[in-house]
Amino acid sequence: MTGQDQAIVHDVPVNVAQQPNPYPLFERIREHGVVQRVRLNPTLEVWMVTGYDEAVAALTDPRLSSSPVGVNGLEEEMAHQERTNVLMASMLVANGEDHTRLRTLASKAFTARRVEQLAPRVQAHTDALLDAVAARGTADLVSEFALPLPMAVLSELIGIPAEGQPDFARLAVGLIMPPNTPERLAKGAQARAELTEFFEPLIAQRKADPKDDLLSALCAAQAEARISDRELTAMTILLTLAGHETTASLIANGVHALLRHPDQFAALRDDPSLLPGAIEELLRYEGPVSRGVARFTVDAYEIGGVTVPPGEMIIIGLAAANRDPARYDRADILDVARREVPQQLAFGHGVHFCLGAPLARAEARIAIGTLLRRFPDLRLADPDADLSRREGILRGMATLPVAFTPHTPGTPGTPGTPGTVGASDASGA
């Protein structure tokens, strides 16, 4: 419909990311108008944007704030978060000059040149993980591939030694829990506290003995008084959240979608030149951010024919916008050869566009491209199994059991051999 129906408040459950198919819900909401009132829990009603054009407008509008401070009904909670949540000092909730300052520093780790340099390491980690399962003929592509790959890459990028990576991975999981119960709030706070303790000795080491890694660069910036202790800690934790679970979910979601669409799997396997566009299509079709990202009104704000009052939260529905039929032909169809112009919004848009997008794309291209080449008959171990989703605010697979023809890596005549995805092709640089 073209008008806006404001008489209905739509329920968007907190576990929407874990639902087998949340997209019909987003479509039903959009049928009442591209900007609607939604209920996230019994005590919290917000606005939700489901239209592509409106989402782009909101993501690029400086009149919307990234900080929840001052939002109606959240004053007490935000005061508590300011005191206890180190991520309140991150660029995730920063605006204006503070956001520019923090982003400029972090962006040095994600240049095209840096991604190009990391691509061979991504390929090496990918080959090692696939070598470990090749002779077995079965694998869980979440626990044995999608999760450990970005963790290994992120650890190298930040500068985390191998012996610290298991603890690093364990603590990172606590960051993605939805803050909808006291238990999960406590778990998230504990994860942030433990990660702060985890990074303290590493930061001290890098200050005393700098290396060629992101943590050393951030420590050098702090020495020049461009970043505070709290901002330094917040940035390392934010990069942990952004660089691990999101990329793992992209890889696992992408492979799962391909296996559920055998024609698309075959098309991509048989024509690797489709890979860069296919990654964009997989991000559009089944990206890691299901519900969306939050922005906050400072003044009355008009969007999509609706005037949102000051002090309100707006959820920009990235997954919903990525399936807006007004923007995409056959929006609910996976098409790895799609050639439409509109950019998918899984990484956001505007000044808060995901800094790690080039690296995430490189990891996904190398991981999925190598997987299809080495295991051309890859299939779901049980096509009828009801696979569960990872608990948390992101949309990812909890497990992905697969089967394939077993082989010994490097043996002549086997389905695939390690290390043939080019670095420049993988990075897109």
Side-chain angles (χ1 to χ4, degrees):
M1 62 182 292
T2 57
Q4 297 287 335
D5 184 353
Q6 297 303 312
I8 300 174
V9 178
H10 309 269
D11 285 306
V12 177
V14 70
N15 67 339
V16 68
Q18 285 71 51
Q19 294 186 353
N21 184 11
Y23 302 100
L25 169 63
F26 299 145
E27 181 58 32
R28 288 195 299 272
I29 294 173
R30 183 165 44 234
E31 287 175 354
H32 291 270
V34 294
V35 179
Q36 290 290 296
R37 194 72 171 164
V38 301
R39 184 182 297 109
L40 301 184
N41 63 49
T43 62
L44 181 60
E45 292 184 7
V46 303
W47 300 87
M48 187 172 191
V49 176
T50 58
Y52 181 96
D53 290 342
E54 291 77 16
V56 170
L59 289 167
T60 56
D61 198 322
R63 293 175 297 169
L64 291 177
S65 173
S66 295
S67 173
V69 175
V71 173
N72 296 329
L74 296 181
E75 294 87 353
E76 184 176 341
E77 174 61 24
M78 286 304 100
H80 173 72
Q81 291 294 323
E82 286 279 9
R83 294 191 303 270
T84 63
N85 188 346
V86 68
L87 287 178
M88 294 297 289
S90 75
M91 59 185 170
L92 188 67
V93 295
N95 295 295
E97 293 181 358
D98 280 341
H99 176 264
T100 300
R101 173 175 56 87
L102 294 171
R103 186 180 176 92
T104 299
L105 292 172
S107 66
K108 295 178 180 179
F110 298 106
T111 62
R113 181 183 177 208
R114 181 60 171 159
V115 172
E116 180 78 10
Q117 292 172 337
L118 281 170
R121 297 298 303 146
V122 177
Q123 184 68 66
H125 288 302
T126 298
D127 289 334
L129 290 168
L130 296 183
D131 285 349
V133 302
R136 200 168 68 215
T138 61
D140 176 3
L141 287 185
V142 173
S143 64
E144 296 181 286
F145 188 57
L147 279 173
L149 175 60
M151 178 52 64
V153 175
L154 184 65
S155 296
E156 287 194 18
L157 177 67
I158 294 179
I160 297 168
E163 61 271 18
Q165 291 180 22
D167 282 342
F168 184 41
R170 174 182 59 81
L171 294 173
V173 172
L175 294 177
I176 65 164
M177 303 308 295
N180 62 317
T181 67
E183 293 76 14
R184 285 172 172 170
L185 280 169
K187 185 173 182 178
Q190 181 179 355
R192 292 190 297 271
E194 291 188 31
L195 273 172
T196 299
E197 293 178 3
F198 177 89
F199 279 118
E200 282 177 350
L202 285 177
I203 290 172
Q205 291 172 15
R206 291 303 185 272
K207 288 180 177 180
D209 183 19
K211 307 292 184 185
D212 183 21
D213 55 40
L214 178 59
L215 193 55
S216 296
L218 294 176
C219 289
Q222 185 188 37
E224 298 174 15
R226 289 183 292 165
I227 184 171
S228 69
D229 286 344
R230 194 166 188 248
E231 288 171 336
L232 174 59
T233 302
M235 188 170 292
T236 53
I237 293 177
L238 178 61
L239 290 172
T240 301
L241 172 61
H244 180 221
E245 284 283 343
T246 50
T247 304
S249 296
L250 165 57
I251 294 170
N253 289 350
V255 174
H256 181 247
L258 290 170
L259 294 176
R260 288 294 187 190
H261 297 81
D263 59 327
Q264 299 302 299
F265 179 95
L268 185 56
R269 177 196 61 202
D270 298 342
D271 185 0
S273 70
L274 295 175
L275 192 57
I279 297 302
E280 300 307 302
E281 173 68 353
L282 291 169
L283 281 161
R284 184 198 71 81
Y285 183 80
E286 189 77 287
V289 181
S290 184
R291 190 165 63 185
V293 297
R295 293 292 185 269
F296 307 92
T297 57
V298 177
D299 301 307
Y301 182 73
E302 185 171 343
I303 181 171
V306 174
T307 300
V308 180
E312 295 277 341
M313 181 190 300
I314 298 176
I315 298 293
I316 304 171
L318 303 183
N322 275 336
R323 293 210 187 187
D324 183 358
R327 197 59 170 153
Y328 292 98
D329 180 44
R330 301 175 302 121
D332 286 325
I333 301 298
L334 177 66
D335 180 3
V336 296
R338 190 183 290 271
R339 289 293 182 265
E340 292 176 270
V341 174
Q343 174 187 342
Q344 54 78 21
L345 300 179
F347 289 126
H349 194 75
V351 296
H352 285 274
F353 180 79
C354 177
L355 266 179
L359 181 58
R361 286 184 169 114
E363 291 183 66
R365 289 172 188 166
I366 292 174
I368 294 176
T370 305
L371 187 66
L372 269 60
R373 177 179 50 77
R374 292 189 60 178
F375 303 142
D377 64 344
L378 187 74
R379 57 198 179 275
L380 292 168
D382 181 0
D384 298 323
D386 185 15
L387 300 179
S388 60
R389 294 277 173 176
R390 283 176 69 78
E391 188 178 18
I393 58 176
L394 298 177
R395 182 166 177 79
M397 305 299 300
T399 183
L400 185 54
V402 297
F404 47 86
T405 300
H407 65 274
T408 302
T411 302
T414 56
T417 55
T420 60
V421 177
S424 60
D425 290 341
S427 69

